[in-house]
Amino acid sequence: MRLDRWWSDEPRALICGANPSKAGAEKHDPTVWRIVELLHGRPGIGGFTLVNVETYIATDPADLVRWCDRQDLDVLQHVRRTNLARIRALSAEAAVRIVAWGALAAPGLHTNRIIAALSLDGTHALHAFELTGEGAPKHPLARGRHRIAGGQPLIVWRAAEKQEVR
């Protein structure tokens, strides 16, 4: 899944989340509205492309987990490889890369592959709007006292690694 929103000719941010939504080309959902609120007006960002760690579309994170659990391992690996290739290609074009999956993406091999694809194997920093108490990048719809404050700078969640000099 890929969702694009833009408001100027400035470069776009790439945002990776974990709970696919029902937003579409013409339709916003609460997550998209919140991302627009958090990014619109930031210097150097003219819009965003939103992708997800999985391609399944659901509004309930539990549905996403159940979908992954029901898939044949070979099918799930194929779908994930295809999604990783899409994420890597989009990351190569992005001005900034933002991770926003909250606690929905459990650490593990697949998450490590997503991080590698987003950061282009550690050559680019990964940012977050804010972090949870456990250090996970907050989801844009975090609520209550966990709500992401507007207007603050993005924070570095994973710094770019130094490239080897050969």
Side-chain angles (χ1 to χ4, degrees):
M1 183 180 122
R2 169 190 177 158
L3 191 69
D4 295 289
R5 298 293 189 262
W6 59 93
W7 44 85
S8 79
D9 291 335
E10 290 185 285
R12 292 187 195 166
L14 176 62
I15 301 169
C16 187
N19 188 25
S21 70
K22 298 288 185 176
E26 301 293 326
K27 178 184 171 190
H28 281 16
D29 71 354
T31 300
V32 171
W33 280 116
R34 185 67 179 134
I35 293 171
V36 170
E37 289 175 5
L38 292 168
L39 289 180
H40 194 273
R42 286 181 188 262
I45 297 179
F48 62 89
T49 297
L50 178 62
V51 295
N52 285 292
V53 297
E54 302 289 358
T55 59
Y56 181 72
I57 297 174
T59 55
D60 183 349
D63 289 342
L64 176 62
V65 172
R66 283 190 290 274
W67 177 82
C68 288
D69 289 345
R70 287 192 311 262
Q71 299 308 304
D72 175 78
L73 184 57
D74 290 336
V75 170
L76 186 60
Q77 287 177 341
H78 172 74
V79 168
R80 285 179 166 173
R81 275 193 306 273
T82 302
N83 196 42
L84 284 170
R86 177 183 304 114
I87 290 170
R88 185 174 291 276
L90 291 168
S91 183
E93 300 172 2
V96 63
R97 294 140 194 91
I98 302 169
V99 181
W101 53 56
L104 298 176
L109 187 57
H110 184 59
T111 304
N112 291 339
R113 289 179 181 148
I114 294 288
I115 290 168
L118 281 169
S119 68
L120 300 175
D121 300 314
T123 61
H124 294 277
L126 299 179
H127 295 83
F129 294 111
E130 280 186 14
L131 300 179
T132 66
E134 294 78 34
K138 283 187 179 181
H139 188 280
L141 287 183
R143 306 250 194 256
R145 65 183 176 91
H146 302 288
R147 183 176 171 85
I148 298 169
Q152 64 185 12
L154 295 171
I155 60 171
V156 175
W157 181 63
R158 295 281 193 274
E161 300 169 3
K162 293 183 179 180
Q163 294 183 359
E164 277 186 44
V165 178
R166 293 183 187 221

